[in-house]
Amino acid sequence: AEQLLLMVSGVRLGRMNDRAIIDTLLQSDLAGLPQRPAWVDGSGLSRYNLFTPSDLVYILKKMHDEFGFEKLKKILPGAGTGTLANYYIQDSGYIYAKTGTLTGQVCLSGFLVSKKNKLLIFSVLVNNHQGSAVAVRTEVSRFLHEVRERN
C-alpha cells in the first residue's frame, strides 16, 4: 500500500512524497470527507492512520458513483470468498466488502444488497474489543444479515 501511495504521488505530483500526496488528495479528491482523517502513510497496518466509518462510507459512495457497482463487485471480496471466506455465507451474492483487523479492532466496509433490492453502503467498526476477532466478526455477520432481511 505504501508503494501504491508513492506511485500515485509520482504520477500526480511528479515526485514521490507521502505527505505531499496525502495533503493533495485531502484537498482535492477527498475534500468532502465528513471528518478529516489522521493519515500519515500508505500502510494499511499503521495505527497512525485513522479514518472514521463515515469517511469510509463517503469513499465507497464516491467509488460507486465513479466506477459503478458491477465493477466494484469484481474487485471486492464477496460473501464466502477472500477475507470473507468464513462469513456471510447465507448472504452470498449480496455482500461485497473489505475487512480490516488490528489487535482490538475489527472493521468491515462495503456494499449490501437488501431483500428489497436496495443497495446499502456500510462501514462497521468495533473498537477496543476484549474478545476474539472471530467472535466479533460473527456478531457483525449476524447484524448485517438482519439489516439485509429488514431492508
Side-chain angles (χ1 to χ4, degrees), residues 99-146:
T99 61
T101 307
L102 292 170
T103 303
Q105 283 105 23
V106 170
C107 184
L108 183 71
S109 301
F111 300 90
L112 176 67
V113 179
S114 74
K115 286 280 188 171
K116 295 178 184 171
N117 208 33
K118 293 181 193 171
L119 182 61
L120 307 174
I121 302 173
F122 70 90
S123 184
V124 177
L125 170 65
V126 179
N127 191 23
N128 198 30
H129 68 82
Q130 303 301 308
S132 77
V134 170
V136 172
R137 283 190 212 103
T138 299
E139 287 305 313
V140 171
S141 177
R142 286 185 193 145
F143 167 72
L144 289 174
H145 179 72
E146 189 65 30

Side-chain angles (χ1 to χ4, degrees), residues 9 13-15 22 31 46 59 69 80 94 99-100 103 109 111 127 145:
S9 179
L13 305 177
R15 67 186 197 283
I22 288 169
S46 173
I59 292 167
F69 183 52
Y94 301 100
T99 61
T103 303
S109 301
F111 300 90
N127 191 23
H145 179 72

Side-chain angles (χ1 to χ4, degrees), residues 4-142:
L4 184 60
L5 186 66
L6 289 171
M7 289 175 13
V8 169
S9 179
V11 170
R12 293 277 301 260
L13 305 177
R15 67 186 197 283
M16 293 186 178
N17 183 305
D18 278 355
R19 184 76 260 147
I21 192 61
I22 288 169
D23 290 342
T24 298
L25 291 171
L26 288 174
Q27 293 171 18
S28 59
D29 301 77
L30 301 176
L33 284 171
Q35 298 164 326
R36 185 172 175 93
W39 187 8
V40 298
D41 59 32
S43 173
L45 300 175
S46 173
R47 290 193 176 274
Y48 301 110
N49 294 318
L50 303 172
F51 284 74
T52 66
S54 59
D55 289 338
L56 295 173
V57 166
Y58 172 88
I59 292 167
L60 288 167
K61 170 91 169 74
K62 192 169 178 63
M63 290 170 62
H64 176 271
D65 293 347
E66 186 168 336
F67 305 118
F69 183 52
E70 291 306 312
K71 192 170 202 174
L72 293 172
K73 281 175 29 177
K74 293 177 184 175
I75 61 172
L76 289 171
T81 65
T83 55
L84 304 179
N86 298 316
Y87 303 95
Y88 313 100
I89 305 302
Q90 72 274 24
D91 296 316
S92 182
Y94 301 100
I95 187 167
Y96 300 87
K98 183 69 182 97
T99 61
T101 307
L102 292 170
T103 303
Q105 283 105 23
V106 170
C107 184
L108 183 71
S109 301
F111 300 90
L112 176 67
V113 179
S114 74
K115 286 280 188 171
K116 295 178 184 171
N117 208 33
K118 293 181 193 171
L119 182 61
L120 307 174
I121 302 173
F122 70 90
S123 184
V124 177
L125 170 65
V126 179
N127 191 23
N128 198 30
H129 68 82
Q130 303 301 308
S132 77
V134 170
V136 172
R137 283 190 212 103
T138 299
E139 287 305 313
V140 171
S141 177
R142 286 185 193 145

